[in-house]
Amino acid sequence: TIRRGEKLAVVGLNGAGKTTLVKLLCGLYDPDEGRVLLNGIDIREFNRREYYRLLSAVFQEFSVLETTIAENVSQETEDIDVARVHECLDKAGLTSFVSGLPQGIQTHVGKKLYLDGIQLSGGQIQRMMLARSLYKNGPILVLDEPTAALDPIAEHDIYMKYNEMTKGKTSLFISHRLASTRFCDRIIFLADGRIAEEGTHESLLKLNGEYAKLFEIQSRYYREGWDHDGE
């Protein structure tokens, strides 16, 4: 059960079922067993397009369009809310980068269609996808490993803005980096497709179960100066 306005973190090792669970919630997969309910109603009873409008999501696979930054963020070709594009880029930490471009948000992305197009790094693309999800402004925000391509400092910058990003929204944050979950209201730790442990970061550490063990392993690598995800 996810409560309205709650910030829920879904964590676990690769293969635990995090992405599968989230794609079921988003209606991208239909369950073989059980049901996904929204306000007590099976989501398969909703018009699928209308249901998708409720969701602003960043998945691990995404499409970058060979067009301007503004159109990539807004997913529109006309009537773009320029102020909102800038606001979302700022929340995603791209303001400094975009303001340094000659054409700003009108800069073309990619070099296949435009000679003046730019190539973005993995981290910059990930930030732009985050800005895209914020621009859509659905009441449910779903972030599946949204900082995987970022270094720990850049990742921390995104986390510091997370409360602002999720204000007034229900949010699901999926990660295998346990340190990234502290700002969430509740954490569920998945193992073998099931909820193995559940609670806040502090309560799960006190439980001294699998979450606490994995957190200690990951923390040890950072303390030793490794950039390692603990997988």
Side-chain angles (χ1 to χ4, degrees):
T1 300
I2 305 170
R3 302 168 188 87
R4 182 176 180 177
E6 183 177 26
K7 294 191 284 289
L8 178 71
V10 182
V11 302
L13 294 173
N14 281 352
K18 303 187 297 296
T19 295
T20 300
L21 174 63
V22 168
K23 288 191 174 180
L24 283 164
L25 296 177
C26 290
L28 299 176
Y29 294 163
D30 278 337
D32 297 320
E33 299 177 32
R35 296 180 298 162
V36 178
L37 307 178
L38 175 64
N39 292 335
I41 301 171
D42 192 317
I43 64 171
R44 286 173 288 196
E45 296 182 25
F46 292 98
N47 176 288
R48 194 56 61 99
R49 286 186 177 274
E50 292 296 322
Y51 183 73
Y52 287 157
R53 288 195 177 99
L54 300 175
L55 302 156
S56 292
V58 178
F59 294 111
Q60 293 178 48
E61 302 95 23
F62 41 72
S63 60
V64 179
L65 306 176
E66 295 266 336
T67 184
T68 65
I69 291 174
E71 290 180 354
N72 261 290
V73 171
S74 66
Q75 297 283 273
E76 297 169 341
T77 56
E78 52 187 32
D79 299 325
I80 296 173
D81 187 336
V82 172
R84 193 152 128 220
V85 169
H86 282 294
E87 179 186 351
C88 295
L89 287 170
D90 186 56
K91 287 181 179 179
L94 275 178
T95 294
S96 178
F97 169 72
V98 173
S99 62
L101 298 172
Q103 303 298 322
I105 62 172
Q106 299 306 322
T107 300
H108 291 114
V109 176
K111 294 182 175 292
K112 293 179 182 177
L113 296 181
Y114 298 97
L115 292 176
D116 64 346
I118 63 169
Q119 293 291 106
L120 299 176
S121 69
Q124 288 165 342
I125 291 173
Q126 212 158 24
R127 287 178 183 272
M128 188 169 70
M129 294 303 103
L130 179 56
R132 177 189 287 180
S133 71
L134 295 173
Y135 186 95
K136 184 181 178 184
N137 202 28
I140 303 171
L141 182 63
V142 178
L143 304 176
D144 186 359
E145 301 276 10
T147 59
L150 302 180
D151 62 60
I153 295 174
E155 184 182 47
H156 179 74
D157 176 56
I158 291 290
Y159 298 155
M160 291 300 98
K161 297 178 179 179
Y162 192 74
N163 280 334
E164 184 184 357
M165 291 180 202
T166 58
K167 191 173 183 180
K169 299 182 186 297
T170 302
S171 66
L172 284 84
F173 181 88
I174 299 89
S175 180
H176 64 263
R177 297 181 186 175
L178 305 193
S180 66
T181 61
R182 299 183 185 187
F183 52 82
C184 293
D185 300 318
R186 185 162 52 107
I187 300 165
I188 60 173
F189 180 77
L190 293 187
D192 301 319
R194 297 179 178 276
I195 298 176
E197 297 173 13
E198 180 179 1
T200 63
H201 176 73
E202 289 74 18
S203 69
L204 288 173
L205 289 183
K206 288 179 182 177
L207 185 64
N208 203 29
E210 293 303 311
Y211 178 94
K213 291 176 185 175
L214 188 57
F215 180 77
E216 171 57 28
I217 291 170
Q218 292 185 358
S219 300
R220 192 184 310 150
Y221 283 119
Y222 278 105
R223 286 197 301 268
E224 292 173 359
W226 287 35
D227 182 16
H228 193 290
D229 290 332
E231 292 184 302

